[in-house]
Amino acid sequence: MSDLDLARYQDPLTIQRVLHSAGTIAIVGLSKTELRASYFVGYYLKRHGYRVIPVNPREEEILGEKCYPSLRDIPEPVDVVNVFRTPDALPAIAEDGGLTVIMDRCLKVEHARYVGRMHWLGFNTQRITSVRAGLQ
């Protein structure tokens, strides 16, 4: 995927719209292991008022919520599907189904940037990286 294609899936206005309009987030690959990134993201989003629906066929419950084996098994509509799996075919499939696709962005980090503490402190820089400017 080219940088131009990837930029399409990382549009700041789209990310902000999704964050402000979403209420229910299904997390595919949510782990019950507290040290996993998916768990921390789910925990953070739940603490910030989103309804989190775990999608994990190996678990019954995560974060106090009933787990579903697949997206098709969720009995209610969701606003966002956050995927912690390899993204190979996801953009084409999701867009064909009418979904907005955001790739290679962490909902927790984007929430902090546009809605949470990073936003309050003025860190709305469009990019978070550990690489120093000029060294890229």
Side-chain angles (χ1 to χ4, degrees):
M1 182 174 297
S2 74
D3 288 342
L4 185 58
D5 290 334
L6 192 55
R8 170 176 153 213
Y9 297 118
Q10 298 174 352
D11 176 57
L13 293 177
T14 301
I15 293 169
Q16 290 174 56
R17 178 182 50 79
V18 167
L19 287 170
H20 287 292
S21 65
T24 303
I25 301 173
I27 302 181
V28 177
L30 182 59
S31 174
K32 72 175 184 176
T33 305
E34 293 179 13
L35 296 176
R36 292 265 171 113
S38 64
Y39 181 91
F40 189 69
V41 168
Y43 178 83
Y44 174 93
L45 293 171
K46 191 169 178 176
R47 279 198 53 158
H48 283 85
Y50 295 96
R51 171 129 193 274
V52 171
I53 299 177
V55 179
N56 185 329
R58 294 185 193 110
E59 302 298 334
E60 301 265 333
E61 182 181 291
I62 300 174
L63 294 170
E65 301 288 338
K66 176 181 169 43
C67 275
Y68 294 91
S70 73
L71 288 170
R72 289 187 178 130
D73 295 315
I74 298 173
E76 62 189 272
V78 298
D79 301 311
V80 174
V81 176
N82 191 13
V83 180
F84 280 88
R85 307 297 300 162
T86 55
D88 299 338
L90 186 63
I93 292 169
E95 286 176 333
D96 288 347
L99 296 175
T100 299
V101 175
I102 299 169
M103 254 175 66
D104 291 338
R105 289 291 187 248
C106 174
L107 276 179
K108 181 214 167 292
V109 171
E110 297 303 318
H111 180 274
R113 179 195 329 251
Y114 295 120
V115 182
R117 288 191 172 156
M118 288 174 64
H119 176 72
W120 300 334
L121 297 173
F123 293 108
N124 187 353
T125 62
Q126 306 295 320
R127 183 173 181 191
I128 296 174
T129 181
S130 61
V131 178
R132 291 183 185 180
L135 297 178
Q136 300 176 26

